[in-house]
Amino acid sequence: MKFIIGFLLLFAGLKAIGSVPYRFSESPWISESVADEGKYHMPGMKAKPKKYWSCVGVIPVDSRNSVDETDEMRGLQYHLLCQSLAGLTNRAVEKGKSEIAVWLCDHGGKTSYKLSRQALEDMGIHEQGMQNGLELACNEYSSVDGVKVQLKGMFDGYVLTDVKNNPESGVVASVASHVYNSIIVDIRDKEYFEKAGYKMKYDATRKTTVDAWREFRNKCSKKALVIMPVQTGELREFAIKNNLFVLNLNKELGDAEAGQNISLLEEVLAWLEPNAPVYGWEQGVSEDQFVARVSKSGHPMIPCDWSYNHSLLSLLYEKGREQVCLGFSIPGLSISRKRKTLFLFSFPMVITFSG
C-alpha cells in the first residue's frame, strides 16, 4: 500500500470536530479492501510468555550509557548486556523455544510502565522475580510451575565490545548479537563471563558500522531499522529480538565533524521493505541529515530513543484492534470503490491511500 501525503496549505480551513468518531468497520468494503497484512507495519511480539524476569539496574540509572564506569553493574557495558539478554530471550519466546521473557525494570515508577506491567498480569503473564543482568546471564535456576526460568544455556556465547575505545563496537555488537545468538560483553567484563563458562563468538572491538553492514546485511530483517547514537543502549532489545540492523549516523557521540555514515544510511534505506518503519533518533545533527532522508525514501520515522521494553509492549498488538479515526469528522469525503482509492480533499490537506 502506498501512502502519498500532500500538504497543499498548512492549517487553513482544517477544523477538528470532536464529535462522533468515524469507524472504518462501519464501511465493510473498506475493511475488506484493507486486508490484515496491510494494516500492521510495525514489528510486534506474537507469542505470549507464561512468565517474565524483571532485569534491574538499567532504567532510569544515570550511568547507564557512561563508558567510564568500572563496576560490572554500571555503565553502557552493563546496559548493552541487559538489552541483549532481554532481546535474545524474548526472541526465544517468539520462536517457541522459551516460556520466560525479560522486562527491563523501571526504578523511576513511571505510570506508563506500571500500567504496562499490569496489562501483562491481566494477560496471565506473571513476574518471576527481580534479578540483575549478571545473575540472569550466569545463575542457574530450578523450573517454576513447569516453566524453565533459567536463561543460562539459552545463549551460544558472547559478542565482545570495547565501547570506551571504539564507540561503534556497541552498534556492531547489537547486530552481531542476534546473528550469533550471543549476549553482549565488553572487554571490561570479559574475564567475569569467561569464568562463568561463556566463550566469544564474535569480536567487535575493532569493527565499524560499515563492517557490520558488509558482514551481516543478508542476516538482518528488512522490516524495520533502528537509528541510535553510539554510546547508547536504548532500543537494542527491540532490534535484537526482531533481527534488525542498527545504524549510527555520527561516528562519535554528538560530533558530526568526527565523521558520519550518510552514504550507509541511504544504502540501508533503499534496502528496506517499502514503508518499513525507522525507530530511534540521532543526536547532534539537524533533522535534514537523517529525518529528511528517511521521509524521502518512503519510510515513517518513529522518534523513540528513550523508551524501553518494546517487544513486550507490542505483545499481540494485532489482535482485536478496531480501526478508529478519533476526534474529528471529515466533510466532503469521496470514495472510489472501483479503484480502491480513498481521497480526502475538501480541506487543504490531501491524503491518498492507494491499494
Side-chain angles (χ1 to χ4, degrees):
M1 180 180 288
K2 299 178 181 177
F3 298 79
I4 304 170
I5 304 181
F7 297 88
L8 304 181
L9 294 172
L10 190 59
F11 299 123
L14 178 60
K15 295 183 179 179
I17 304 174
S19 53
V20 180
Y22 181 84
R23 289 175 171 79
F24 284 103
S25 57
E26 293 171 0
S27 297
W29 77 264
I30 294 181
S31 292
E32 179 183 312
S33 65
V34 184
D36 280 347
E37 61 266 20
K39 286 186 264 188
Y40 306 105
H41 291 280
M42 299 185 185
M45 191 165 177
K46 298 178 175 61
K48 189 171 76 170
K50 291 184 177 179
K51 296 178 179 291
Y52 68 92
W53 285 109
S54 284
C55 183
V56 302
V58 175
I59 316 171
V61 179
D62 291 338
S63 67
R64 68 186 181 278
N65 288 326
S66 169
V67 298
D68 297 320
E69 306 296 319
T70 57
D71 190 306
E72 292 159 341
M73 279 190 57
R74 292 289 183 270
L76 178 60
Q77 298 91 332
Y78 177 73
H79 189 183
L80 287 172
L81 166 70
C82 296
Q83 291 269 352
S84 63
L85 70 85
L88 294 172
T89 302
N90 294 338
R91 185 177 70 166
V93 173
E94 189 85 315
K95 292 182 175 181
K97 296 180 178 180
S98 176
E99 295 179 315
I100 183 85
V102 172
W103 172 270
L104 299 179
C105 178
D106 169 42
H107 300 282
K110 295 183 181 65
T111 301
S112 57
Y113 288 118
K114 288 181 179 179
L115 292 173
S116 298
R117 288 187 63 192
Q118 184 58 53
L120 294 177
E121 291 290 330
D122 293 344
M123 296 172 72
I125 306 169
H126 306 297
E127 182 186 61
Q128 171 58 30
M130 302 176 70
Q131 300 277 268
N132 64 55
L134 303 179
E135 293 170 327
L136 290 175
C138 301
N139 286 3
E140 296 182 357
Y141 302 88
S142 300
S143 296
V144 178
D145 301 326
V147 177
K148 184 179 179 181
V149 299
Q150 178 176 310
L151 304 189
K152 184 179 181 181
M154 189 183 298
F155 317 120
D156 295 336
Y158 70 85
V159 174
L160 187 65
T161 62
D162 185 358
V163 294
K164 188 168 185 175
N165 296 303
N166 178 12
E168 287 195 328
S169 67
V171 178
V172 176
S174 301
V175 181
S177 176
H178 66 70
V179 173
Y180 287 95
N181 189 45
S182 296
I183 57 176
I184 299 175
V185 172
D186 192 75
I187 195 169
R188 181 195 73 178
D189 307 319
K190 177 182 177 181
E191 184 177 351
Y192 180 94
F193 283 91
E194 291 195 338
K195 285 182 178 179
Y198 283 90
K199 296 186 181 301
M200 184 176 69
K201 294 296 181 180
Y202 183 82
D203 186 351
T205 55
R206 297 184 180 181
K207 298 287 186 174
T208 67
T209 307
V210 171
D211 292 330
W213 176 244
R214 289 171 179 166
E215 292 182 41
F216 303 131
R217 61 176 293 174
N218 294 329
K219 297 182 179 179
C220 293
S221 170
K222 296 183 177 183
K223 294 184 180 299
L225 171 68
V226 168
I227 296 180
M228 284 295 292
V230 295
Q231 202 173 318
T232 62
E234 281 76 10
L235 296 186
R236 302 317 198 269
E237 177 273 331
F238 178 73
I240 291 168
K241 183 264 175 189
N242 292 294
N243 305 321
L244 304 181
F245 191 73
V246 181
L247 187 148
N248 55 291
L249 192 62
N250 290 338
K251 295 184 178 182
E252 294 186 11
L253 183 63
D255 186 2
E257 295 183 358
Q260 293 184 308
N261 290 313
I262 295 290
S263 60
L264 177 60
L265 171 62
E266 293 176 342
E267 184 177 349
V268 174
L269 290 173
W271 166 83
L272 291 171
E273 290 184 357
N275 204 44
V278 178
Y279 295 84
W281 201 255
E282 180 61 81
Q283 300 172 7
V285 295
S286 60
E287 292 187 19
D288 65 320
Q289 291 291 301
F290 67 105
V291 179
R293 284 179 165 85
V294 172
S295 299
K296 288 178 181 178
S297 64
H299 301 289
M301 183 76 212
I302 303 175
C304 55
D305 44 342
W306 304 121
S307 54
Y308 306 83
N309 297 308
H310 284 221
S311 294
L312 286 174
L313 289 175
S314 67
L315 181 62
L316 305 180
Y317 93 97
E318 298 181 7
K319 304 296 183 182
R321 297 289 185 249
E322 182 183 11
Q323 301 175 68
V324 179
C325 180
L326 292 173
F328 61 91
S329 61
I330 304 173
L333 179 65
S334 175
I335 300 175
S336 170
R337 179 172 185 176
K338 184 177 180 181
R339 295 178 60 188
K340 292 187 178 180
T341 303
L342 173 62
F343 297 93
L344 313 179
F345 62 84
S346 69
F347 48 87
M349 179 185 291
V350 178
I351 305 177
T352 305
F353 301 86
S354 298

